[in-house]
Amino acid sequence: QVQLVESGGGSVQAGGSLRLSCAASEDTYSSYCLGWFRQAPGKGREGVAVIRGDGSISYADSVKGRFTISKDNGKNTLDLQMNSLKPEDTAMYYCAADETWWKCRSVYDWNYESWGQGTQVTVSS
């Protein structure tokens, strides 16, 4: 059974940090594409970071140098460390997974099969 559950969202001031975590079922955790996405009110879904089965990682230009995606193999979690947060990072953050390699050729591709329910991140100025 596919299961993705995000946690770690909250409210911080600009310049602060948050760490998001996505707990995945064992089958889902082994998916080739594991990614973080976000959607701000009134805007479309945006790819943030992806980690692929070959170990490669990509970030959206807007978060490069500030966000770090990682996997914790002992806990079957997909994590997103977010530093130097900006008000424009405010959004609902989702983790997602897909077994098909070509669905994560770009960090901006978001046609994934499995999604979590999301966790809210709010950054105040």
Side-chain angles (χ1 to χ4, degrees):
Q1 181 179 357
V2 174
Q3 185 175 16
L4 295 165
V5 180
E6 302 95 335
S7 62
S11 297
V12 295
Q13 290 189 328
S17 298
L18 281 174
R19 187 176 184 87
L20 305 183
S21 187
C22 175
S25 60
E26 190 162 350
D27 286 348
T28 304
Y29 188 74
S30 64
S31 298
Y32 188 85
C33 303
L34 290 172
W36 282 98
F37 299 82
R38 66 188 181 186
Q39 188 164 15
K43 295 188 177 181
R45 190 162 295 185
E46 175 189 22
V48 174
V50 61
I51 186 166
R52 303 176 184 88
D54 63 1
S56 63
I57 290 174
S58 297
Y59 295 96
D61 289 342
S62 59
V63 307
K64 278 182 183 175
R66 301 188 297 122
F67 291 11
T68 303
I69 189 172
S70 62
K71 294 173 66 175
D72 186 329
N73 294 329
K75 298 180 180 179
N76 280 12
T77 60
L78 177 71
D79 300 325
L80 186 69
Q81 178 65 41
M82 306 186 295
N83 298 328
S84 302
L85 283 162
K86 304 175 180 179
E88 51 263 44
D89 295 318
T90 295
M92 185 71 80
Y93 283 71
Y94 302 88
C95 64
D98 200 291
E99 296 182 350
T100 308
W101 68 269
W102 53 263
K103 289 194 176 180
C104 53
R105 283 180 297 187
S106 167
V107 66
Y108 301 109
D109 293 333
W110 53 269
N111 186 24
Y112 285 32
E113 180 177 18
S114 305
W115 292 82
Q117 83 289 348
T119 186
Q120 178 67 39
V121 171
T122 302
V123 184
S124 58
S125 58

